[in-house]
Amino acid sequence: MKAFVFHGPGQASWDEVPEPSLKDGADVIVRVDSVTICGTDLHILKGDVPEVVPGTVLGHEAVGEVVETGGDVRTVRPGDRVLVSCISACGRCRFCREARYGQCRGGGGWVLGHLIDGTQAEYVRVPFADLSVHPLPGALDSQDAVLLADILPTAYEVGVLNGRVGPGDTVVVVGAGPIGLAAIATARLFAPGRIVAVDLDPSRLEVARRLGADAVVNAAEDPARLVEDLTDGLGADVAIEAVGVPETFELCTRVVRPGGHVANVGVHGKPAVLHLEDLWIKDVTITTGLVDTFSTPMLMGMTAARRLPTSSLVTHSFELDRMEEAYGVFSAAGSGALKVVLERPTA
């Protein structure tokens, strides 16, 4: 089969590789029909995630059809159309029993495209299938469904829930890429008083407005001053970091109010300064996190019912064998790309 293979920092290609096979009774093999590229994949290519070894097939999000199941699988069978979650869960370890599947110690967690071959391929082996793939309702199209593999639960759980967004809050989302935009969309479920989006890209700020941001500001135009003006000097109740660079994390710590929450979602490849000389007295809570995907079934139901505005997030579509071109578009500044979806040709 063909797959997108990581060969080291700055090097990856669409290669011929062996098809996956079952290795455990809890595995399934899924034919990939739709897959997307994540900002985390770009971090891997930059060398920010050194655990990914050369030769690994990238990707951790997909929609497809089950073609083979291990003998222990009970919830899906060949022919089922499923969502492949970015997180795999053994279901038995301490963390899985607490629904903290991202921290699984039984061989799961974030493994696809990280510790084992991932989804940017024609076929993928998914471990622990009973907890790691989700049957899809027929009314949910693949381009919407694939957003449920990672960005929607990540933004909701690591950003909105960890940040404790509540009614009337001022929420500042730093970064209006796919994760930041999904955070805006899901934060609205909690009726915040205002949402402020910060980014360098005017086109992304315009999408943020369409998804529910009440105010937008270019990151080069003193967003801390805007937040101060909007809150009468108090600061944001919640600041969500959705980029993964030191400057954006430090901006979040500057705009948050005393007693507020900073929810870091971005993948960081470099140290960020924690200004405890300013923060020690402010009662600020800072959270980090890897998504657990416990919210996926709920978000799937809301997406199928058209309660979440997912269509604005997919900006580019390609056939699966144009993976290298899709990466180029997704990573290019000024391309206007948010989520890039690749699909198996139908004919």
Side-chain angles (χ1 to χ4, degrees):
M1 71 171 185
K2 287 295 192 79
F4 194 65
V5 181
F6 174 70
H7 296 295
Q11 302 176 62
S13 55
W14 184 245
D15 296 341
E16 191 86 23
V17 300
E19 289 190 10
S21 58
L22 299 173
K23 294 185 178 180
D24 184 88
D27 293 349
V28 297
I29 305 298
V30 175
R31 184 195 71 198
V32 175
D33 294 331
S34 297
V35 67
T36 186
I37 302 170
C38 181
T40 304
D41 298 319
L42 300 185
H43 280 282
I44 292 170
L45 285 175
K46 289 197 306 184
D48 291 345
V49 189
E51 300 86 1
V52 182
V53 300
T56 302
V57 176
L58 295 184
H60 49 267
E61 310 159 85
V63 168
E65 181 180 311
V66 175
V67 296
E68 189 177 1
T69 63
D72 297 333
V73 176
R74 296 290 179 266
T75 59
V76 293
R77 59 186 179 182
D80 285 351
R81 180 171 169 262
V82 295
L83 172 74
V84 177
S85 175
C86 65
I87 296 297
S88 303
C90 78
R92 298 183 296 271
C93 71
R94 170 180 172 171
F95 290 114
C96 284
R97 288 176 180 271
E98 296 173 355
R100 298 183 65 187
Y101 306 122
Q103 303 301 323
C104 175
R105 290 298 184 267
W110 172 36
V111 293
L112 290 171
H114 179 209
L115 305 179
I116 66 173
D117 286 337
T119 59
Q120 290 170 4
E122 294 178 313
Y123 294 88
V124 60
R125 178 182 71 90
V126 185
F128 307 118
D130 282 338
L131 285 171
S132 308
V133 300
H134 301 266
L136 286 170
L140 195 56
D141 69 44
S142 294
Q143 286 203 354
D144 285 343
V146 77
L147 303 179
L148 294 158
D150 185 351
I151 67 163
L152 283 170
T154 294
Y156 178 68
E157 295 175 17
V158 186
V160 175
L161 295 185
N162 280 3
R164 298 189 181 180
V165 174
D169 282 351
T170 293
V171 179
V172 176
V173 179
V174 180
I179 290 287
L181 293 170
I184 291 168
T186 53
R188 285 175 54 83
L189 300 174
F190 292 86
R194 66 169 68 86
I195 300 174
V196 181
V198 181
D199 202 278
L200 287 167
D201 187 332
S203 65
R204 290 189 169 193
L205 292 175
E206 182 55 39
V207 178
R209 279 195 186 277
R210 295 203 301 268
L211 287 174
D214 302 285
V216 300
V217 59
N218 192 291
E221 297 176 358
D222 199 359
R225 174 62 63 85
L226 174 66
V227 174
E228 185 176 359
D229 291 345
L230 289 173
T231 61
D232 295 325
L234 182 64
D237 300 283
V238 183
I240 297 175
E241 197 286 329
V243 181
V245 297
E247 295 80 4
T248 52
F249 174 77
E250 291 173 34
L251 173 61
C252 286
T253 64
R254 290 199 305 274
V255 302
V256 71
R257 68 166 173 83
H261 290 78
V262 174
N264 183 89
V265 189
V267 176
H268 287 263
K270 297 179 181 178
V273 176
L274 182 61
H275 287 285
L276 285 176
E277 74 277 13
D278 298 322
L279 295 172
W280 73 270
I281 201 170
K282 293 180 67 176
D283 296 345
V284 170
T285 299
I286 299 174
T287 56
T288 64
L290 175 66
V291 65
D292 295 309
T293 67
F294 64 81
S295 66
T296 300
M298 179 273 289
L299 294 170
M300 184 182 298
M302 295 193 71
T303 303
R306 300 290 180 255
R307 300 298 186 188
L308 288 173
T310 55
S311 59
S312 298
L313 296 174
V314 177
T315 55
H316 294 73
S317 298
F318 297 88
E319 290 191 352
L320 195 59
D321 61 3
R322 294 171 63 192
M323 186 70 69
E324 293 182 17
E325 180 183 354
Y327 261 88
V329 170
F330 183 63
S331 61
S335 69
L338 293 173
K339 286 305 281 184
V340 171
V341 174
L342 298 101
E343 298 183 291
R344 177 183 293 271
T346 55

